[in-house]
Amino acid sequence: MTPREVFLRLVHGVADRDFDALPALYAEQTDVRHPMSPYGDQPLFSRDALREHFGGAGPRVADVVQFQPADVVGHETQDPEMIVAEFDYAGTVIATGEPFRVPCVFVLRVRDGLIVESRDYIDHVAMARARGMLGELIDVLREPASEPAAS
């Protein structure tokens, strides 16, 4: 699969709640980071860590919102393993029917059809708002900053 095909499987798999299949898109040893996360960038370095991540975070989101990727723009780079993709997760809040959009930029390195590196930049405020979790986010932001993750 090309980097673009892998990216599209990833974002559609998240939106379709196919959490069991998502870890197979990643190499056994990988480096996935969320550098702008207000919850702290907790790198995921293995397929097992991703399995745990998708198994925990996925269902919590799925119970509250429904969404699909929208306005996808993929930027091919001079590096054939790399794609930079801009998109929104566009959807509705299940309880209220209120629409929302969460802007995202993903930078993926795909080798032999598997993600070996990813930097996921997501508007966490918009996602917290859609999920009804602004209070929790504010509490997190009031905590002292932790040390950045080691590379």
Side-chain angles (χ1 to χ4, degrees), residues 39-125:
Y39 303 99
D41 182 15
Q42 299 165 351
L44 304 164
F45 294 122
S46 69
R47 189 179 287 159
D48 287 340
L50 284 152
R51 190 172 288 109
E52 186 176 321
H53 169 76
F54 287 123
R60 288 194 314 264
V61 173
D63 291 342
V64 181
V65 294
Q66 294 176 325
F67 55 85
Q68 287 294 318
D71 301 326
V72 175
V73 178
H75 303 281
E76 309 277 329
T77 70
Q78 291 189 14
D79 180 342
E81 294 183 338
M82 184 79 66
I83 184 170
V84 177
E86 301 174 81
F87 66 102
D88 291 342
Y89 277 130
T92 56
V93 178
I94 294 171
T96 65
E98 181 182 346
F100 69 90
R101 288 183 88 83
V102 177
C104 305
V105 174
F106 284 10
V107 181
L108 301 179
R109 178 176 301 283
V110 176
R111 187 173 297 135
D112 299 323
L114 297 172
I115 301 167
V116 296
E117 186 177 12
S118 181
R119 299 297 179 265
D120 304 352
Y121 301 91
I122 300 168
D123 182 341
H124 292 278
V125 173

